[in-house]
Amino acid sequence: MKDHPVRNSIYNVYFSPTKATQKIAYEVADAIAADRDLTSIAINLTKPKSRPVRAGGQENDVFLFAFPVYSGRVPAVLIDCIDQFEGDGAKAVVVGVYGNRHYDDALLEAADLLGERGFKVIAAGAFIGEHSMAPRVGAGRPDADDLAVAAQFGHDVAALIEQGATETPAIKGNRPYRDGMPDTGARPATTDACTKCGICVKLCPMGIIDADDPAQVADGCLQCNACVKGCPQDAKRFEGEQAAAIVAMLEGNCLERKEPELFL
Ligand SMILES: Cc1cc2nc3c(=O)[nH]c(=O)nc-3n(C[C@H](O)[C@H](O)[C@H](O)COP(=O)(O)O)c2cc1C
């Protein structure tokens, strides 16, 4: 009988309502997997039924945790998920994708939380995605240049692992973290153009859009904009002064291109 060496894994764990984070996560994970000959296992936390999930690793596994930055923080909906992760000494890489305003304390917060769960966080990266609330901000990102940076980041992480790195680099951010997003009860409005096709029902990461009447949206909306961006009839939108003020602030201050920042 032949002995087969145990193949270790990279867990590509991501939450990505409007898919910017997903693009970066795959680029990073695929580069690490190729260089380290790891089996890539994707864990998509976006659908409500997929959360929380028990996920973890062993010493020679790599755990990529990728999320969109919400209000400069890790989305609150992911905190219960992180509580289910078991590091057991596995190496972890943090990826935060933000909408060209700032990532503030989100990378640091994610690294702290994963450290508490027993992971050795060896690298972190902040990448830019189109702002889900204001599509002119970070429009079209991540683009080809961003994806190339993400792939190179993955190769650099693989080289670090080869060298046996276990230390956490200095990651930008402050403790205590900035205040997270207040729950304002905001939720999308639905126009007469809605055909009740059900696409938004499937896209909603909170499962709160009524399947029979998609105009009915229950409490707990993240304002992630998956329904707004995914509606083929353009029938969902955030209305009112507060939504307009956020878009005006972002378009007024955050149109200048930012570049990814890497911590290794
Ligand atoms: C509720 C909410 C809060 C956000 N907060 C920030 C923020 O603090 N800074 C920023 O630059 N972008 C912010 N964004 C933009 C997202 O981080 C960005 O659009 C990201 O690419 C979305 O990732 P996804 O496509 O994987 O859903 C926010 C978006 C939402 C929906």
Side-chain angles (χ1 to χ4, degrees), residues 2 30 39 84-85 90 93 105 170 188 197 205 239 241-242:
K2 264 192 184 167
D30 288 352
T39 303
Q84 300 295 317
F85 299 161
V93 179
D105 307 328
C197 71
E239 291 176 341
E241 272 175 31
Q242 204 199 4

Side-chain angles (χ1 to χ4, degrees), residues 107-195:
L107 298 186
L108 184 66
E109 180 185 16
D112 286 348
L113 291 166
L114 291 172
E116 283 163 22
R117 300 303 309 160
F119 292 92
K120 295 192 185 308
V121 179
I122 59 164
F127 292 86
I128 296 88
E130 186 168 292
H131 203 297
S132 35
M133 292 171 152
R136 285 183 58 215
V137 178
R141 313 257 325 254
D143 59 15
D145 289 347
D146 294 314
L147 296 180
V149 174
Q152 187 56 51
F153 177 59
H155 293 308
D156 293 345
V157 168
L160 265 187
I161 296 168
E162 173 80 38
Q163 292 156 23
T166 54
E167 295 297 307
T168 302
I171 297 171
K172 253 196 227 167
N174 294 299
R175 300 185 194 90
Y177 317 124
R178 83 201 293 266
D179 286 341
M181 229 178 42
D183 182 5
T184 57
R187 63 195 79 188
T190 309
T191 72
D192 291 346
C194 174
T195 61

Side-chain angles (χ1 to χ4, degrees), residues 15-22 68-72 97-104 128-133 178 181 222-225:
F15 176 76
S16 188
T18 60
K19 307 252 171 29
T21 306
Q22 182 175 325
V69 173
Y70 282 0
S71 267
V97 178
Y98 72 100
N100 207 57
R101 184 192 64 76
H102 209 288
Y103 56 90
D104 298 298
I128 296 88
E130 186 168 292
H131 203 297
S132 35
M133 292 171 152
R178 83 201 293 266
M181 229 178 42
L222 301 178
Q223 302 178 53
C224 74
N225 279 265

